[in-house]
Each structure stands twice: as C-alpha cells, then as structure tokens.
Amino acid sequence: MKILLINSVCGIGSTGRICTDIYQALEKEGHKCTIAYSRGNPKGFDTIKIGNKWDVRFHALRSRITDRQGFYSKQATKKFVKVIKERQFDIIHLHNIHGYYLNLKILFEALKNLEAKVVWTFHDCWPFTGHCPHFEFVGCNKWLEKCYKCPQKSRYPKSIFLDNSTRNYLEKKRLFTSLTNITIITPSKWLEGLVRKSFFKEYPIYTINNGINLDIFKKRNSDLRIKEKLGDKFIVLGVTGVWDERKGLNVFIELSKLLDESYKIILVGLTEQQKKHLPNNIIGIIRTENIERLAEIYSASDVFLNPTFEDTFPTTNLEALACGTPVVTFNSGGSPEIINSQCGMIVDVKNAETLKEILENLKNSNFETELCIQKSKNYGIISMVNNYLAIYREL
C-alpha cells in the first residue's frame, strides 16, 4: 500500500514521533509511506513539506486577528494537493491538521474527489469544536450543539480580537462531514466517547491506543542522581511538551512547598524563562528531543507524577511505565486508562495537598518495577501499527 501521513510536525513532539514510528513500522512491513508536515526534523524519511515558516507565521498572524485558524495557507495547500493527486496514495491518514499550515476547505474538497480512503486520528478535540483543542479544564460543552462566545478565545489557536467560533464550527462540520470515506481513530476510550456525541457520530469510530518505542523506553542505567547530587532522595518526575496550569505546573510548585528535603522534583520540558522562576527545590530541564536521555531520567525516578487537568492519552505515562517507574495521575481525560493498582494510582481530588499524602504513602511502599514494565508491553509501536494495518487492509 502507498500511505500518506499528514501531521503538523514530523519527528518532534508526541504526534511527530507517533508519525515517524508508524512510518518506520510500515516500511518494515513492505509498504510505501510518506509524511507530509509543516515543521520538524524529517531526516531519513520520505516527506512532503507543506509551505514554509513564513506561510505558518502569516497564517498565525491572521488567525490572531480573525479567529480563523485553518482557513488561510491557500497557496501552500494548493501545491500540496497537487502533489497528492500526482502520487496517488491508497490511504491518506490525517493526524493533527491544525497548526497554521493547511487550508481546510481546499484540503477537504480535494479529499472528497480522490479514490484514496481517509483515516483520521484525533489527537485532541479540535476536529469537532469551533476553536479549542481541549475544553475539559474550563468545563465547556457548547460543542455538543454549536460553539459560540468561546471562553478560550485567548488560548491556542489564540485570537486577540474576533470570536468566530460559531462560523468555524459550522464550516468544519460542513467540510468534514462532506466526506463519506472517513474512518475515525481515537487514542483513548475517553475521546471516543466524546466523538460519539459530536457531528462525527455517524462515522466508523475505533480506539487505537498510542504506542511507544519499547526498544528505547526501557529500564536504563542513569547518572542523573550523581550529576544532580541527589543521593537517596525520592525523585518525583514530571514531563510534558508544554508546561502550563493545565498540565499541572502550578500544582508542582505548590507541592514543592509541602514536601520536605527528602524529596526532589524534576520537571522536563520547561522553557528557559520558566526555569528562572522555579523554586530552589525543583530541578528544571528544558525540552529535549534526546529520547534516550529522557528514558534515563524516567529510569532514575521513583515516581512519575502527571497532574494534568486535560489530556487525550499521554504517552508520557507509557514511557514512564516502560522504564519501570510507577505513575500517579489525575483522573482527567484519557490519562488514567492504562493505570491500575499494580503500576500506579489515579487521583480524584486534584490538589497538591492530596498529592503530598499519596507521595508519602508511596515512599513507604514499593511498586514492582517489573509489573510497571509488563503493563507497558501492551502499548508498543508494533501493536499500534498492526491495529492501523488491520483498518488499512479492511478499507
């Protein structure tokens, strides 16, 4: 089969790595794979670059004024569509198509007239809202009928002036449901449940959990304790691509005030500016694409703490388990779906005080490393790709 993956990024970030992982596994199976992307590090892959950095910047600038993310980049999308038609793919697999790089109208009108079957993996809720990729944090359910007066207009995709959430919602609904050949994939049962309430409810919808590279994410020797002079401190690790209040940054800061000197918090994925404002008892590490080093950090930690207030299906939970580290997570989105009493804990009361009590109990009890690793083996890349292949073949 000839398969095209379309995603905002390639080789970086969680969705970018998912795409390159799928690519490599498909190629090993003898299929021909191509990744279309806007930003990233695509070395070693057959790729199609959509637009350039100026297209993205201009798209983002206009969106900040008009709240019309996804309705610019006309020339870049036309050129991309021309390439799609020339290369005649059997399967076109959409991932994140938001990110200031595609024109939805041009793309979906082209998809409607192609013979290729379309698979679309939703990595967030953006496909069925008028603006936002997530709404759990603010408790908004307007998307169930029609978005309006968006409470998150000032968040990604940020709009400074206008609120076009109603217009966006209606146009996305018209464009997306104009295709009859879409199969929807969600990484979590939580997101599947939402999609079944949205305007996609009449389409085939399946859950395929995200997978990780178990050859990289595994229990490793680490020099972290020596380099950071941590001795026998109880290491509480947090990892995400972008730290903000929704990912629990404020919770970690409050928690740091409650823990004594026998604990050390390490946060990976911070900006340089965020590092400057951390309390002294938190070690900050900027975002890294060195995943071997990340696996070493997971391996050296005593617990992976994910106080996220909204998430689809965080691969960080999987990565921690694969390195033998138990996971403590808030009961939000799809984050708890792989956690059980043998490999971690799910927290319903979302505050630092509750986490302090849980960590004190964990410090005096032992999760078995092997049980954490065993749990992660259900979520390898090969399992994920085999599930996708089964759908591709059926289509």
Side-chain angles (χ1 to χ4, degrees):
M1 288 181 283
K2 290 177 66 177
I3 300 151
L4 173 65
L5 308 176
I6 304 177
N7 191 50
S8 55
V9 295
C10 176
I12 61 173
S14 58
T15 61
R17 287 203 295 269
I18 286 168
C19 286
T20 52
D21 287 343
I22 292 173
Y23 177 107
Q24 291 170 327
L26 289 173
E27 291 273 325
K28 285 181 181 178
E29 290 286 329
H31 303 285
K32 178 61 180 170
C33 196
T34 303
I35 300 176
Y37 74 104
S38 172
R39 302 177 298 282
N41 181 21
K43 293 179 181 178
F45 301 93
D46 177 35
T47 60
I48 302 169
K49 181 80 159 59
I50 304 173
N52 56 49
K53 65 179 181 180
W54 297 109
D55 292 321
V56 172
R57 289 176 181 177
F58 190 52
H59 192 146
L61 176 62
R62 295 186 72 180
S63 298
R64 279 168 167 72
I65 298 169
T66 65
D67 190 25
R68 293 285 285 159
Q69 193 281 139
F71 294 94
Y72 300 112
S73 298
K74 290 183 179 180
Q75 293 307 313
T77 308
K78 285 179 180 178
K79 290 179 182 178
F80 173 51
V81 164
K82 184 179 179 182
V83 175
I84 294 178
K85 291 177 179 178
E86 289 171 352
R87 295 184 60 168
Q88 296 182 330
F89 295 96
D90 300 305
I91 302 287
I92 296 178
H93 188 165
L94 309 177
H95 287 268
N96 273 349
I97 61 171
H98 59 84
Y100 309 117
Y101 74 112
L102 281 171
N103 183 284
L104 301 176
K105 185 174 185 292
I106 294 170
L107 177 64
F108 274 80
E109 286 181 352
L111 293 176
K112 187 165 56 176
N113 296 313
L114 293 174
E115 293 185 8
K117 302 298 183 183
V118 179
V119 176
W120 191 354
T121 296
F122 291 3
H123 293 285
D124 52 39
C125 306
W126 176 88
F128 51 90
T129 74
H131 181 88
C132 68
H134 284 286
F135 41 72
E136 189 177 14
F137 186 74
V138 296
C140 179
N141 288 314
K142 294 176 182 178
W143 59 274
L144 287 166
E145 294 185 11
K146 183 175 64 176
C147 291
Y148 60 94
K149 293 183 180 178
C150 180
Q152 303 192 93
K153 181 174 73 73
S154 61
R155 301 191 68 92
Y156 172 83
K158 184 176 181 179
S159 177
I160 300 171
F161 299 109
L162 300 179
D163 178 348
N164 265 313
S165 56
T166 300
R167 182 181 177 187
N168 295 338
Y169 177 92
L170 293 174
E171 286 197 45
K172 285 162 78 171
K173 180 179 180 180
R174 178 181 63 81
L175 289 170
F176 298 163
T177 59
S178 69
L179 269 64
T180 58
N181 62 340
I182 290 185
T183 299
I184 307 296
I185 309 296
T186 62
S188 63
K189 287 293 183 183
W190 169 79
L191 185 54
E192 179 184 336
L194 296 181
V195 177
R196 292 191 182 280
K197 298 176 183 178
S198 75
F199 54 70
F200 288 101
K201 60 188 174 186
E202 303 301 327
Y203 286 89
I205 304 167
Y206 304 93
T207 290
I208 296 178
N209 296 133
N210 293 334
I212 60 169
N213 191 330
L214 295 174
D215 292 328
I216 293 175
F217 290 102
K218 58 186 178 181
K219 188 69 176 176
R220 292 171 175 261
N221 293 325
S222 175
D223 61 358
L224 180 71
R225 288 183 180 272
I226 296 172
K227 288 184 72 173
E228 299 292 344
K229 300 178 182 179
L230 298 177
D232 61 353
K233 289 184 183 292
F234 190 84
I235 299 177
V236 181
L237 175 65
V239 178
T240 192
V242 178
W243 281 106
D244 59 19
E245 60 184 349
R246 297 166 187 242
K247 294 297 184 181
L249 180 58
N250 295 346
V251 174
F252 270 112
I253 291 173
E254 288 302 311
L255 180 62
S256 72
K257 299 173 184 177
L258 302 176
L259 298 177
D260 62 39
E261 293 183 356
S262 65
Y263 295 86
K264 179 61 73 172
I265 295 173
I266 298 177
L267 299 183
V268 179
L270 296 162
T271 65
E272 290 288 358
Q273 191 66 24
Q274 286 173 323
K275 278 183 64 177
K276 291 177 183 178
H277 295 92
L278 287 179
N280 292 330
N281 57 349
I282 297 181
I283 297 173
I285 300 174
I286 63 171
R287 182 172 178 171
T288 177
E289 297 302 333
N290 184 341
I291 51 180
E292 286 87 359
R293 180 57 179 165
L294 184 57
E296 291 174 7
I297 296 172
Y298 281 123
S299 298
S301 302
D302 294 291
V303 63
F304 178 70
L305 179 57
N306 191 358
T308 178
F309 289 90
E310 56 185 19
D311 228 316
T312 305
F313 189 79
T315 52
T316 50
N317 290 359
L318 299 176
E319 292 165 358
L321 292 179
C323 296
T325 305
V327 175
V328 174
T329 180
F330 281 166
N331 189 7
S332 305
S335 189
E337 289 188 19
I338 66 162
I339 308 303
N340 60 29
S341 59
Q342 293 182 315
C343 65
M345 296 184 67
I346 300 164
V347 183
D348 290 313
V349 182
K350 303 172 184 177
N351 58 46
E353 290 78 10
T354 303
L355 290 176
K356 174 181 179 287
E357 295 176 11
I358 287 171
L359 292 176
E360 287 174 344
N361 292 330
L362 280 178
K363 193 177 178 184
N364 299 316
S365 61
N366 292 312
F367 281 99
E368 291 188 28
T369 297
E370 192 53 43
L371 290 177
C372 295
I373 294 172
Q374 198 61 40
K375 182 66 173 174
S376 73
K377 291 188 182 299
N378 298 319
Y379 303 93
I381 293 168
I382 293 180
S383 175
M384 175 182 68
V385 171
N386 283 341
N387 287 327
Y388 276 122
L389 270 173
I391 288 176
Y392 292 167
R393 291 182 179 123
E394 184 179 340
L395 293 176

